[in-house]
């Protein structure tokens, strides 16, 4: 089991909440629209995106041995986060609606 598999569970659940997914979609549309309408901004954004991808890959490669040793702790943290999310979803019904509602 990799770190991504352990983290994806809680992260996927959060990203699937309508309030979060609709916000992300809106931000993605605005980001894409800005890139399309401003050529200079598009080139700056592309350089930034490549840098983030490279830095992310390098960070994951460097962290892999540590992550393998901490997998049991990640699993416990994921379980606790999922329980906390269950509680939030129960107490805050608005999380189940898109932002515009």
């Amino acid at each position: 089991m990799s770190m991504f598999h352990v983290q994806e569970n809680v992260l996927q659940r959060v990203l699937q909440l309508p309030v979060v997914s609709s916000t992300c979609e809106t931000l993605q549309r605005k980001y894409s629209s800005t890139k399309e309408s401003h050529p200079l901004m598009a080139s700056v954004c592309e350089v930034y995106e490549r840098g983030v991808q490279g830095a992310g890959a390098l960070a994951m490669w460097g962290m892999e041995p540590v992550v393998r040793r901490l997998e049991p702790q990640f699993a416990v943290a994921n379980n606790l986060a999922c329980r906390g999310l269950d509680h939030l979803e129960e107490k805050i019904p608005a999380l189940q609606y898109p932002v515009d509602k």
Side-chain angles (χ1 to χ4, degrees), residues 80-96:
L80 289 172
C82 284
R83 280 193 260 155
L85 187 55
D86 289 340
H87 183 71
L88 280 175
E89 287 176 318
E90 182 181 310
K91 297 291 182 189
I92 308 172
L95 293 174
Q96 299 304 324

Side-chain angles (χ1 to χ4, degrees), residues 5-90:
H5 180 70
V6 171
Q7 285 187 337
E8 276 180 341
N9 190 359
V10 72
L11 182 59
Q12 283 179 339
R13 282 191 56 193
V14 169
L15 290 174
Q16 288 171 357
L17 289 171
V19 70
V20 175
S21 63
S22 68
T23 300
C24 289
E25 288 169 12
T26 300
L27 290 173
Q28 180 62 38
R29 280 194 303 270
K30 288 185 182 196
Y31 179 75
S32 296
S33 171
T34 301
K35 278 177 56 175
E36 288 171 12
S37 57
H38 302 288
L40 179 59
M41 186 63 134
S43 62
V44 169
C45 289
E46 287 168 12
V47 168
Y48 172 75
E49 290 166 6
R50 282 195 300 269
V52 168
Q53 288 170 350
L58 183 59
M60 282 310 302
W61 177 78
M63 291 296 295
E64 192 175 340
V66 174
V67 168
R68 266 192 249 118
R69 279 179 275 171
L70 294 176
E71 273 187 309
Q73 289 85 348
F74 285 131
V76 169
N78 182 66
N79 191 24
L80 289 172
C82 284
R83 280 193 260 155
L85 187 55
D86 289 340
H87 183 71
L88 280 175
E89 287 176 318
E90 182 181 310

